[in-house]
Amino acid sequence: MAQKPSIPKGTRDFSSVEVSKRNYIFSIIKSNFEQFGFQPIETPTFENSETLMGKYGEEGDRLIFKILNSGDYLEKVDTQLLQEKNTKKLTSKISEKALRYDLTVPFARYVVQHQNELEFPFKRYQIQPVWRADRPQKGRFREFYQCDADVVGSNSLWQEVEFIQLYDTVFTQLGLKGVTIKINNRKILSGIAEVIGASDKLIDFTVALDKLDKIGEEGVKKEMLEKGISAQALEKVQPLFSFTGTINEKITKLEQLLQASSEGLKGVEELQFICNALSTLGLQTANFDLDVTLARGLNYYTGAIFEVAAPACVAMGSIGGGGRYDDLTGIFGLKNMSGVGISFGLDRIYLVLEDLGLFPEAVTTKPQALFLNFGQEEALYAMQSMVQLRHAGVRVELYPDASKLDKQFKYAEKKGIPYVVFVGDEELKNREFKVKNLASGEQKIVALAALTAMLSAN
Amino acid sequence: MAQKPSIPKGTRDFSSVEVSKRNYIFSIIKSNFEQFGFQPIETPTFENSETLMGKYGEEGDRLIFKILNSGDYLEKVDTQLLQEKNTKKLTSKISEKALRYDLTVPFARYVVQHQNELEFPFKRYQIQPVWRADRPQKGRFREFYQCDADVVGSNSLWQEVEFIQLYDTVFTQLGLKGVTIKINNRKILSGIAEVIGASDKLIDFTVALDKLDKIGEEGVKKEMLEKGISAQALEKVQPLFSFTGTINEKITKLEQLLQASSEGLKGVEELQFICNALSTLGLQTANFDLDVTLARGLNYYTGAIFEVAAPACVAMGSIGGGGRYDDLTGIFGLKNMSGVGISFGLDRIYLVLEDLGLFPEAVTTKPQALFLNFGQEEALYAMQSMVQLRHAGVRVELYPDASKLDKQFKYAEKKGIPYVVFVGDEELKNREFKVKNLASGEQKIVALAALTAMLSAN
């Protein structure tokens, strides 16, 4: 019996409309990456397991898809291990390769492996799929694209400034106005931890503070006390409970708050530099704000932390993020390479654009006209003119069979082709074309030059 | 100790120059697929194993990369099976998913799964990587791209005509003149088999005939006799040993030769139709020829068989191929869907273009100018003008640190950036820019408008 076809859970087929819409987003991100001086690299779909394992924590190790060795993969495996059914130990014996889990670790591996061919600071972008054996749910897939741009080899804060401009430019070009680019700095978080006298409570602290809007100051403080942060500590950071105003006002508040922490003050200074530059340079449509509760990838980032929130009118959360890390390539033996990078969340950006109707009409490249098929001789004449039209850059196709006209029309409609061209014996005799606009119903008889002009225009 | 980074054998990292060159080829193939009415789809990197297994023969099954199940994959496995180390039986118990091996089977699965959403004839193209656990060697990789266009749902021979035009158009646009598009027809091969009285010897026959250039008529005949083809049979197909002349002359010879085979004559008729159409329509730069030894995918194709040979001046062999298959989707339960398709061999096309120096200079999108960094104030002024330049579509970057000038210059040279822009205190004061063409050494002092015009032009 024939198999009922299906695909693995958490994966997706993409129709031509979906591919076109995704490519529209990719192409805007790509052209702006390039406009800011980033150049593309690509790395293999699978890496040696030791390149990936141990880089994403225990949870990550579990979620990495492993590839079974080819051939007789059990041959050299200890029978004892098999009898014990010791999956943990067995995996590394029967699987040497694993699917890419993100683009950052392969990038670090790439930089170290190719360091002698690269010019530093090295600015690369990479747009490729990654795979995670996560439980699939709405908006979370086992195969999805990441779109990353990173620079390694310089500590310059101009790079942070440029990444914020890059976010602004991309979202402006996508027509998505009013995103908020949130910034924070790991050093400010460390400073707060110093001030509250508990580095180990920093996550609890930021998680609680993030609820200020929902549960109010008293609720937040209650949660913090429960987590073991002292009342005295809370008093010291009291200004964070009314942390409003312009970004410059916020910076002033932080400066006072973090007097006792030199690391915290360093973070404020970095932030100040970025804000000053941006206030001179301006942003096109994005909002820019300081969010001291922003702590994504806390174990990883060492300086700036970025996150982009979709406009308030759509409930989507983060559509991008990134930050600075001081030692990305150290795991592969290349020390003291500071890096900073950002990422665009393709799937969420897609949903937001769809939600707000922001995809342009012309995003799919469907044929501009269908030539109807009236039989062999007529079709040959049609094909002759199609050769000319294609040379002129027009996308055209011939209905392959001389089927009933309503079937041919239905094909054009279903495919969203705007014009149909009739080449019957009358048209053939007069070397003309009858062309019909399917939306308006209007039809005209024209020569090839006029047909070319007409189709090129739409 | 840090790991020495490497990638799995048979896989590749692609540098930005390589990615750009590959994308140049992809974009020409893509735009022409679209100009001929094909629309893109994408399928997941991994499929359920039962979708792929058994579709490529025993050899194929072995070469498919299998993904280990997540979690405790041994839990439900029979201990007996483990003790026996029975790899063959075990694989399907511990692996449910496998990496895409080609684009054709996933396409067939897609068509059947989505048949109610599709409009037939369905014309799709697909450009995605595939994976094979083949022994890697020069020009053969374990991860490589396929670029396929197929139509399913019509028997019309106009489609064969269009595929030949499509090949011609793509190779013409790539500047690769003088490729030879070879055609054959499975029905002609069946006819020959009928005439020599041995369907089971057809492969031996075509393999031997293919050596005519190398070992001469006597050598070929000797080999055929050794393979058990009778002397009498060879007499019947004697014209194949001097199978030269124009394609029309060859067709005439075949027509006589295959008088006794109605299937053979049907094949000749199909070929005749395609040739007649093409002689009216013309080709731009490709040669078109009939090759009766062409038998690729013999078990698979049922009508036309295509193969494209690189120009004789490069030793590369086939850079594309395809054909018609009458029952692609039957394996998934959808009967009577005739299809025809072609494929472009990206890696080989890349090598040929490289060999012949056919990649355009401007294929990489490097920055058009590097702004030198003279310090904080100057850099801010530079960034202000860069905002304007980027709005005008110019790709520019700022060297992130105020390093020594020779270091900054070296960066521009290594990255192949054609212009550097100086913004020192003099330029800042006068609101001007000193711009230097690195190739010619020429330098000028200009205002922003002139700078924009200058950089846009290169």
Side-chain angles (χ1 to χ4, degrees):
Chain A
M1 210 198 79
Q3 298 164 9
K4 186 170 175 283
S6 67
I7 53 177
K9 66 177 176 178
T11 68
R12 293 168 285 175
D13 280 331
F14 295 106
S15 72
S16 70
V17 172
E18 290 163 331
V19 172
S20 301
K21 286 180 174 174
R22 288 161 64 88
N23 284 344
Y24 164 76
I25 300 174
F26 286 139
S27 76
I28 287 181
I29 294 175
K30 234 179 100 163
S31 71
N32 284 296
F33 280 167
E34 291 177 356
Q35 217 167 32
F36 279 74
F38 294 89
Q39 295 187 281
I41 68 162
E42 289 180 7
T43 62
T45 290
F46 44 76
E47 296 271 350
N48 292 321
S49 297
E50 66 260 30
T51 300
L52 304 185
M53 298 300 282
K55 308 302 189 299
Y56 307 99
E58 216 170 295
E59 161 98 349
D61 280 356
R62 258 194 321 105
L63 299 183
I64 289 173
F65 280 111
K66 286 125 197 137
I67 295 177
L68 198 55
N69 291 345
S70 303
D72 187 3
Y73 54 84
L74 288 181
E75 196 185 352
K76 290 178 186 162
V77 173
D78 185 23
T79 314
Q80 180 68 25
L81 214 60
L82 289 171
Q83 273 167 349
E84 285 168 13
K85 290 193 171 187
N86 189 331
T87 318
K88 258 195 183 147
K89 280 193 186 159
L90 186 66
T91 302
S92 65
K93 311 271 183 219
I94 64 173
S95 160
E96 287 165 1
K97 293 180 283 292
L99 297 187
R100 191 166 52 216
Y101 182 82
D102 74 356
L103 302 180
T104 307
V105 170
F107 169 55
R109 194 265 310 144
Y110 181 95
V111 168
V112 178
Q113 189 173 333
H114 300 277
Q115 54 185 294
N116 297 325
E117 306 144 39
L118 303 177
E119 189 54 28
F120 293 96
F122 178 56
K123 300 173 79 167
R124 85 85 172 82
Y125 75 85
Q126 196 169 352
I127 299 180
Q128 292 192 278
V130 301
W131 297 268
R132 298 182 182 179
D134 245 329
R135 185 195 303 272
Q137 46 179 267
K138 193 174 181 303
R140 190 201 284 168
F141 304 98
R142 292 186 150 191
E143 171 174 47
F144 59 97
Y145 266 77
Q146 290 193 335
C147 314
D148 286 15
D150 294 81
V151 199
V152 279
S154 164
N155 292 303
S156 166
L157 293 171
W158 288 113
Q159 298 171 144
E160 274 82 343
V161 173
E162 287 210 291
F163 277 121
I164 292 162
Q165 290 182 302
L166 181 50
Y167 266 141
D168 175 49
T169 306
V170 167
F171 288 116
T172 300
Q173 277 186 30
L174 287 170
L176 188 59
K177 292 173 190 166
V179 303
T180 299
I181 303 167
K182 296 190 255 178
I183 191 169
N184 196 9
N185 193 302
R186 167 62 198 258
K187 300 185 181 87
I188 290 174
L189 289 170
S190 299
I192 293 174
E194 229 178 299
V195 170
I196 64 173
S199 310
D200 60 326
K201 303 247 159 56
L202 184 58
I203 296 278
D204 291 334
F205 180 84
T206 53
V207 166
L209 189 60
D210 194 35
K211 297 179 185 163
L212 195 59
D213 278 355
K214 284 185 205 142
I215 59 176
E217 184 173 334
E218 287 318 303
V220 170
K221 284 187 170 165
K222 187 162 165 270
E223 184 171 322
M224 288 180 176
L225 291 167
E226 281 166 13
K227 296 283 182 181
I229 297 166
S230 72
Q232 202 186 2
L234 292 188
E235 214 164 287
K236 283 193 191 155
V237 294
Q238 178 62 33
L240 293 178
F241 293 95
S242 53
F243 202 64
T244 53
T246 65
I247 194 163
N248 280 315
E249 286 162 2
K250 287 182 181 175
I251 289 177
T252 308
K253 280 187 198 173
L254 274 185
E255 223 168 2
Q256 292 161 353
L257 194 69
L258 298 175
Q259 281 308 334
S261 160
S262 65
E263 190 178 2
L265 287 178
K266 179 85 178 70
V268 174
E269 193 192 305
E270 290 181 10
L271 200 58
Q272 184 83 63
F273 177 91
I274 296 165
C275 285
N276 286 350
L278 286 173
S279 77
T280 303
L281 298 169
L283 292 177
Q284 297 170 70
T285 62
N287 306 308
F288 179 56
D289 200 10
L290 167 61
D291 179 355
V292 287
T293 66
L294 188 61
R296 48 182 293 148
L298 192 60
N299 300 317
Y300 181 65
Y301 294 127
T302 51
I305 303 171
F306 304 117
E307 190 167 277
V308 184
C313 57
V314 280
M316 185 56 73
S318 153
I319 54 175
R324 181 176 285 276
Y325 34 86
D326 277 346
D327 185 26
L328 176 69
T329 55
I331 40 171
F332 298 113
L334 185 62
K335 299 286 180 198
N336 299 320
M337 272 282 177
S338 182
V340 52
I342 61 171
S343 187
F344 287 85
L346 173 80
D347 287 305
R348 287 187 171 188
I349 294 171
Y350 186 104
L351 291 172
V352 170
L353 296 189
E354 196 71 286
D355 240 40
L356 299 177
L358 291 176
F359 281 111
E361 277 280 329
V363 73
T364 59
T365 47
K366 350 176 227 234
Q368 289 149 299
L370 175 73
F371 277 72
L372 302 178
N373 191 330
F374 286 85
Q376 200 162 317
E377 206 186 337
E378 293 88 346
L380 185 60
Y381 175 60
M383 288 279 269
Q384 285 180 282
S385 51
M386 285 165 62
V387 169
Q388 302 304 318
L389 284 162
R390 284 172 179 159
H391 281 172
V394 182
R395 297 184 302 276
V396 285
E397 66 174 299
L398 170 74
Y399 194 85
D401 303 285
S403 310
K404 284 186 182 159
L405 277 195
D406 59 348
K407 191 172 171 191
Q408 300 192 42
F409 264 94
K410 196 174 141 252
Y411 177 85
E413 280 159 16
K414 280 264 185 125
K415 238 180 134 168
I417 301 176
Y419 289 92
V420 295
V421 182
F422 297 69
V423 192
D425 48 3
E426 193 70 16
E427 286 86 7
L428 176 54
K429 208 176 62 199
N430 302 326
R431 303 265 123 186
E432 286 173 344
F433 306 88
K434 185 159 89 185
V435 51
K436 179 171 182 173
N437 179 325
L438 285 183
S440 69
E442 196 191 351
Q443 53 187 47
K444 273 196 218 177
I445 292 179
V446 292
L448 183 59
L451 182 66
T452 309
M454 198 170 162
L455 296 179
S456 302
N458 86 84
Chain B
M1 212 198 78
Q3 297 163 10
K4 185 170 175 285
S6 67
I7 53 177
K9 63 177 177 180
T11 68
R12 291 168 287 175
D13 280 331
F14 295 107
S15 70
S16 70
V17 172
E18 290 163 333
V19 171
S20 301
K21 286 180 174 175
R22 289 161 63 88
N23 284 344
Y24 164 76
I25 301 173
F26 286 140
S27 76
I28 287 182
I29 294 175
K30 234 179 100 164
S31 71
N32 284 295
F33 281 167
E34 290 176 357
Q35 216 167 33
F36 279 75
F38 294 89
Q39 294 187 283
I41 68 161
E42 289 180 8
T43 63
T45 290
F46 45 76
E47 296 273 349
N48 292 321
S49 297
E50 67 260 30
T51 300
L52 304 185
M53 298 299 282
K55 307 304 189 296
Y56 307 99
E58 216 169 295
E59 161 98 349
D61 280 357
R62 257 192 325 106
L63 299 183
I64 290 174
F65 280 110
K66 287 122 196 141
I67 294 176
L68 198 55
N69 291 345
S70 303
D72 187 3
Y73 54 85
L74 288 181
E75 196 185 353
K76 290 178 187 161
V77 173
D78 186 23
T79 314
Q80 179 69 27
L81 214 58
L82 289 172
Q83 274 166 349
E84 286 168 15
K85 290 194 171 185
N86 190 330
T87 318
K88 259 195 182 147
K89 279 193 184 158
L90 186 65
T91 302
S92 65
K93 311 273 182 216
I94 64 173
S95 161
E96 286 166 359
K97 293 181 283 290
L99 297 187
R100 191 165 55 215
Y101 181 82
D102 73 357
L103 301 178
T104 308
V105 169
F107 169 55
R109 193 267 308 144
Y110 181 95
V111 168
V112 177
Q113 189 174 333
H114 300 277
Q115 54 185 292
N116 298 324
E117 306 144 37
L118 302 177
E119 189 56 26
F120 292 97
F122 177 57
K123 300 174 79 166
R124 85 85 171 82
Y125 75 86
Q126 196 169 351
I127 300 181
Q128 291 192 280
V130 301
W131 297 268
R132 296 183 184 180
D134 244 329
R135 185 196 303 271
Q137 45 180 264
K138 192 174 181 303
R140 191 201 283 166
F141 303 99
R142 291 186 151 191
E143 171 174 47
F144 58 97
Y145 266 78
Q146 290 192 334
C147 314
D148 286 15
D150 294 81
V151 200
V152 279
S154 162
N155 292 304
S156 166
L157 294 171
W158 288 114
Q159 298 170 145
E160 275 81 344
V161 174
E162 287 210 293
F163 277 121
I164 292 163
Q165 291 182 301
L166 181 50
Y167 266 140
D168 174 49
T169 307
V170 167
F171 288 116
T172 300
Q173 277 186 29
L174 287 171
L176 188 58
K177 292 173 189 166
V179 304
T180 300
I181 304 168
K182 297 188 255 179
I183 191 169
N184 195 11
N185 193 301
R186 168 60 196 257
K187 298 186 183 87
I188 290 174
L189 289 171
S190 299
I192 293 174
E194 229 179 300
V195 170
I196 63 172
S199 311
D200 59 327
K201 302 248 159 54
L202 185 56
I203 296 276
D204 291 333
F205 180 84
T206 52
V207 165
L209 189 59
D210 194 34
K211 297 178 187 164
L212 195 58
D213 279 354
K214 284 184 207 144
I215 60 175
E217 184 173 334
E218 288 318 302
V220 170
K221 282 188 172 165
K222 187 164 165 268
E223 182 171 325
M224 288 178 174
L225 291 167
E226 281 166 13
K227 295 283 180 183
I229 299 166
S230 73
Q232 203 187 2
L234 292 188
E235 214 166 290
K236 283 191 191 156
V237 293
Q238 177 63 33
L240 292 179
F241 293 94
S242 52
F243 203 64
T244 52
T246 66
I247 194 162
N248 279 316
E249 287 162 2
K250 286 183 181 175
I251 288 176
T252 308
K253 282 186 197 172
L254 274 184
E255 223 170 1
Q256 292 162 352
L257 193 70
L258 298 174
Q259 282 306 335
S261 160
S262 64
E263 191 177 4
L265 287 177
K266 178 87 178 69
V268 174
E269 192 192 308
E270 290 182 10
L271 199 58
Q272 184 84 66
F273 178 91
I274 296 165
C275 285
N276 286 350
L278 286 173
S279 76
T280 304
L281 298 169
L283 292 177
Q284 296 171 71
T285 63
N287 306 307
F288 178 57
D289 199 10
L290 167 60
D291 178 356
V292 286
T293 66
L294 188 62
R296 48 182 294 147
L298 192 61
N299 301 318
Y300 181 65
Y301 294 127
T302 51
I305 303 171
F306 304 116
E307 191 167 276
V308 184
C313 58
V314 281
M316 186 55 75
S318 152
I319 53 175
R324 181 176 285 276
Y325 33 87
D326 278 346
D327 185 26
L328 176 70
T329 56
I331 40 171
F332 299 113
L334 184 63
K335 300 285 179 199
N336 298 323
M337 272 282 176
S338 181
V340 53
I342 61 170
S343 187
F344 287 85
L346 174 78
D347 287 304
R348 289 186 169 190
I349 294 171
Y350 186 104
L351 291 173
V352 171
L353 296 189
E354 197 71 285
D355 241 38
L356 299 179
L358 292 174
F359 282 111
E361 276 281 329
V363 72
T364 59
T365 47
K366 352 175 223 234
Q368 290 149 297
L370 175 73
F371 276 72
L372 302 178
N373 191 328
F374 286 84
Q376 200 162 318
E377 206 185 335
E378 293 88 345
L380 185 60
Y381 175 59
M383 288 279 270
Q384 284 179 283
S385 49
M386 286 165 61
V387 169
Q388 303 303 319
L389 284 163
R390 283 172 179 159
H391 280 172
V394 182
R395 297 184 302 277
V396 284
E397 65 173 301
L398 170 74
Y399 193 85
D401 302 286
S403 310
K404 284 187 183 155
L405 276 196
D406 59 346
K407 192 173 172 191
Q408 300 192 42
F409 263 93
K410 195 175 142 251
Y411 177 85
E413 279 159 18
K414 280 264 185 127
K415 239 179 134 170
I417 301 176
Y419 289 91
V420 295
V421 182
F422 297 69
V423 193
D425 47 2
E426 193 69 15
E427 286 85 8
L428 175 55
K429 207 176 62 199
N430 300 325
R431 304 264 123 185
E432 287 171 342
F433 305 87
K434 186 161 84 186
V435 52
K436 179 173 181 173
N437 179 325
L438 286 183
S440 69
E442 196 192 351
Q443 55 186 46
K444 273 195 221 179
I445 291 178
V446 294
L448 184 59
L451 182 66
T452 310
M454 198 169 160
L455 296 178
S456 302
N458 88 84

